Amino acid sequence: MTIDDKVIIRAIRERAESGFRLLMQKYKQPIYWHIRRLVVAHDDAEDATQETFVRIFRSFDKFREEDSFRGWIFRIATNEALRQITSQRREMIPWDESDSQTNLIMADSYVDYSDLESVKLQKAILSLPPKQQITFNLRYYDELSYEEIAEVTDSTASAAKMNFHIAKEKIIKYMNAND
């Protein structure tokens, strides 16, 4: 059973606790995996997911009905993931840039290393510039529309479409070059 966003919004406004239970039921897993694909590490993704829902709760009165609820939630999650990544980069000891994707993926004990194609795909995605990486993940994994992606990335639908196609081409090139 899929819970309609309008039902969640109404429930949050009428009874915050039960409304947020519905919100978590529908969005906890998709938001976790969206953040996880950006920050890579499970623990970091859990922290950022928790902070995302705290921010949603605190800023719910700022949500505008004319906006996509799903897009608004993913924008908050994306911003939290980027905040997490920025924080990590300040704390990290610099290493050879060519090994950065491998180090991020290999540091995560939740990655299935027996699926070499998945690991290679993750490396390819992590090699993209941040906006292309976010756009690719939102479209490919989360199946957001280009309009929703534009809302998340603060761009236009045509820019989101262009970023996705450029990202897809770069990923194909990376995958073919690293056989």
Side-chain angles (χ1 to χ4, degrees), residues 10-43:
R10 187 172 53 250
I12 291 172
R13 290 200 169 119
E14 292 173 3
R15 294 175 318 279
E17 186 178 322
S18 61
F20 273 94
R21 223 175 285 123
L22 289 175
L23 174 76
M24 294 293 286
Q25 184 179 341
K26 180 173 183 179
Y27 284 105
K28 185 177 182 187
Q29 288 298 323
I31 292 301
Y32 165 81
W33 284 107
H34 169 64
I35 291 171
R36 174 78 184 272
R37 285 187 286 273
L38 296 172
V39 302
V40 180
H42 168 73
D43 292 339

Side-chain angles (χ1 to χ4, degrees), residues 109-160:
S109 61
Y110 288 81
V111 173
D112 178 9
Y113 299 106
S114 65
D115 186 353
L116 297 177
E117 285 298 308
S118 290
V119 172
K120 189 164 51 168
L121 175 61
Q122 290 310 307
K123 287 181 182 181
I125 293 169
L126 288 170
S127 74
L128 297 171
K131 200 163 202 169
Q132 289 174 9
Q133 183 181 357
I134 292 164
T135 300
F136 181 83
N137 285 338
L138 289 171
R139 183 73 178 164
Y140 182 78
Y141 291 111
D142 301 311
E143 300 177 351
L144 268 65
S145 69
Y146 291 117
E147 290 76 17
E148 290 172 315
I149 294 168
E151 188 176 331
V152 172
T153 60
D154 197 24
S155 65
T156 64
S158 59

Side-chain angles (χ1 to χ4, degrees), residues 144-176:
L144 268 65
S145 69
Y146 291 117
E147 290 76 17
E148 290 172 315
I149 294 168
E151 188 176 331
V152 172
T153 60
D154 197 24
S155 65
T156 64
S158 59
K161 191 173 191 176
M162 181 185 68
N163 274 317
F164 176 74
H165 288 291
I166 291 170
K168 187 172 71 171
E169 291 303 314
K170 286 180 178 179
I171 289 169
I172 291 168
K173 187 176 181 180
Y174 183 99
M175 297 291 282
N176 289 335

Side-chain angles (χ1 to χ4, degrees), residues 35-162:
I35 291 171
R36 174 78 184 272
R37 285 187 286 273
L38 296 172
V39 302
V40 180
H42 168 73
D43 292 339
D44 294 336
E46 279 194 336
D47 291 346
T49 300
Q50 183 176 1
E51 187 59 32
T52 295
F53 285 102
V54 168
R55 289 181 188 278
I56 290 169
F57 180 76
R58 288 183 182 156
S59 62
F60 186 77
D61 60 332
K62 295 176 185 168
F63 170 69
R64 298 179 321 209
E65 292 283 336
E66 64 271 9
D67 291 338
S68 160
F69 188 58
R70 182 168 77 155
W72 181 73
I73 290 169
F74 274 87
R75 183 176 192 160
I76 292 170
T78 300
N79 289 339
E80 192 53 43
L82 292 173
R83 199 175 350 276
Q84 180 86 13
I85 291 166
T86 302
S87 172
Q88 288 172 344
R89 285 189 180 142
R90 279 190 294 240
E91 296 170 7
M92 287 170 51
I93 299 169
W95 57 47
D96 179 13
E97 186 63 35
S98 64
D99 291 340
S100 64
Q101 294 111 348
T102 304
N103 289 339
L104 282 171
I105 294 170
M106 297 305 192
D108 192 352
S109 61
Y110 288 81
V111 173
D112 178 9
Y113 299 106
S114 65
D115 186 353
L116 297 177
E117 285 298 308
S118 290
V119 172
K120 189 164 51 168
L121 175 61
Q122 290 310 307
K123 287 181 182 181
I125 293 169
L126 288 170
S127 74
L128 297 171
K131 200 163 202 169
Q132 289 174 9
Q133 183 181 357
I134 292 164
T135 300
F136 181 83
N137 285 338
L138 289 171
R139 183 73 178 164
Y140 182 78
Y141 291 111
D142 301 311
E143 300 177 351
L144 268 65
S145 69
Y146 291 117
E147 290 76 17
E148 290 172 315
I149 294 168
E151 188 176 331
V152 172
T153 60
D154 197 24
S155 65
T156 64
S158 59
K161 191 173 191 176
M162 181 185 68

